[in-house]
Amino acid sequence: MKILAIDTTEQACSAALAIGDEVTEAFQVAARQHSQLILPMVRGLLADAGLELAGLDALAFARGPGSFTGVRIAAAVAQGLGLAADLPLVPVSSLLALAQGVYREHQAERVLATFDARMQELYWAACEETDGLMQFSGKERVGGVDDLSVPAGEQVWMVAGSALSVYHNEIEQRLGEQVSGYYPDVMVHARDVAALAVRDVAAGEAVAAEHALPVYLRDNVAQKMRS
C-alpha cells in the first residue's frame, strides 16, 4: 500500500510517504509557513520515490482539532490533491496522531493527547495502544482544565502535547497520581498520520475527497467557516 500523509496541525509542518513498511518524511517547525512548505514537501517525497500522485492508493491528512488555520490548510491541500488524482482520502485525528508519536518514540501505551485550544481551553483525547496503533478511549473533547479527565481505573497515563506548555501545573494538580510522565515537546508527525491511515484504509474508512472535512470541535468555529 502506498499512502501519502500530511500534517499542518500546529507549529510543525510535515509530509510522509509510506510504501509498505518503508516510511520517508519531511518535517519542519515553521509557524505560519505551512502553505508555502507543504506542497514542495509532497513533490519532493514523490520525486525521490519515483512516483506520480496518481500512483498512490490513498491520501491521508491530520483533520484536527488544532490550529484553525493549520487544520484548514491540511484539509484543503488534501482535497485538492485527491480531486486532481482521483484518490480516496483518510482524515486522521490530530490528537490520535500525536498519541501515536508518543507511542513510537517512548513506547507509552496510554496517552492523554492535548493541544492548547486558546481562549483558556484545551483539546484532549485519551488514547490507548492496541497492536502497535493508538485508538480512542472515549471522545475527543474541548474545554477547560477543570473538565480534563482520563478513563477511570488503575492504569497510569502519560500526558503529551502543547497544552502542557500553558497548563502543566494545573494538569498535574488535576490528574495527580493518574499520570506518570509528561511530554510537552511532542508534535504531530505525518509519519504517524500515515501509520494510522493504513489501518483505516484496511477497515474501509477512506472517503471521497469532497467528504473529507476538517474537525474543529468548537461548533461556533465550524459554523463561522461555513458562513
Side-chain angles (χ1 to χ4, degrees):
M1 186 178 293
K2 298 182 286 295
I3 291 180
L4 177 74
I6 62 173
D7 167 66
T8 57
T9 298
E10 291 192 297
Q11 300 297 308
C13 177
S14 61
L17 180 61
I19 303 176
D21 295 329
E22 298 293 324
V23 181
T24 54
E25 182 182 54
F27 179 91
Q28 185 173 341
V29 178
R32 296 182 293 278
Q33 296 182 46
H34 298 346
S35 58
Q36 289 79 36
L37 291 173
I38 193 63
L39 286 175
M41 285 181 172
V42 167
R43 289 193 292 266
L45 289 172
L46 291 173
D48 290 345
L51 282 175
E52 298 289 339
L53 192 62
L56 299 172
D57 294 300
L59 297 168
F61 69 102
R63 49 80 165 158
S67 157
F68 302 143
T69 299
V71 169
R72 291 198 303 274
I73 289 171
V77 169
Q79 285 181 327
L81 294 174
L83 288 168
D86 193 24
L87 290 172
L89 266 59
V90 188
V92 173
S93 164
S94 301
L95 288 166
L96 202 61
L98 182 77
Q100 184 67 28
V102 179
Y103 174 73
R104 173 175 54 82
E105 295 180 6
H106 303 286
Q107 292 73 55
E109 297 178 351
R110 287 175 291 277
V111 178
L112 183 67
T114 73
F115 297 136
D116 178 17
R118 311 293 178 133
M119 296 188 288
Q120 297 183 322
E121 292 185 326
L122 59 159
Y123 303 116
W124 79 89
C127 310
E128 295 190 71
E129 176 268 337
T130 300
D131 296 329
L133 295 172
M134 283 289 177
Q135 59 184 358
F136 287 126
S137 180
K139 296 180 179 180
E140 298 170 294
R141 298 185 62 187
V142 59
V145 175
D146 289 344
D147 299 319
L148 192 65
S149 64
V150 293
E154 298 181 359
Q155 300 94 335
V156 179
W157 294 76
M158 302 292 185
V159 181
S162 62
L164 286 168
S165 64
V166 183
Y167 304 109
H168 189 124
N169 292 337
E170 293 91 335
I171 291 172
E172 190 170 5
Q173 291 172 7
R174 171 75 177 171
L175 299 180
E177 294 181 356
Q178 293 175 286
V179 176
S180 63
Y182 297 88
Y183 299 105
D185 299 324
V186 175
M187 298 182 180
V188 178
H189 279 252
R191 68 185 303 122
D192 299 310
V193 176
L196 294 166
V198 170
R199 176 183 64 187
D200 293 346
V201 170
E205 296 180 8
V207 299
E210 60 268 26
H211 298 305
L213 302 176
V215 171
Y216 300 107
L217 289 189
R218 283 186 175 131
D219 290 341
N220 60 329
V221 173
Q223 290 167 2
K224 181 178 178 181
M225 295 310 302
R226 289 196 297 267
S227 64

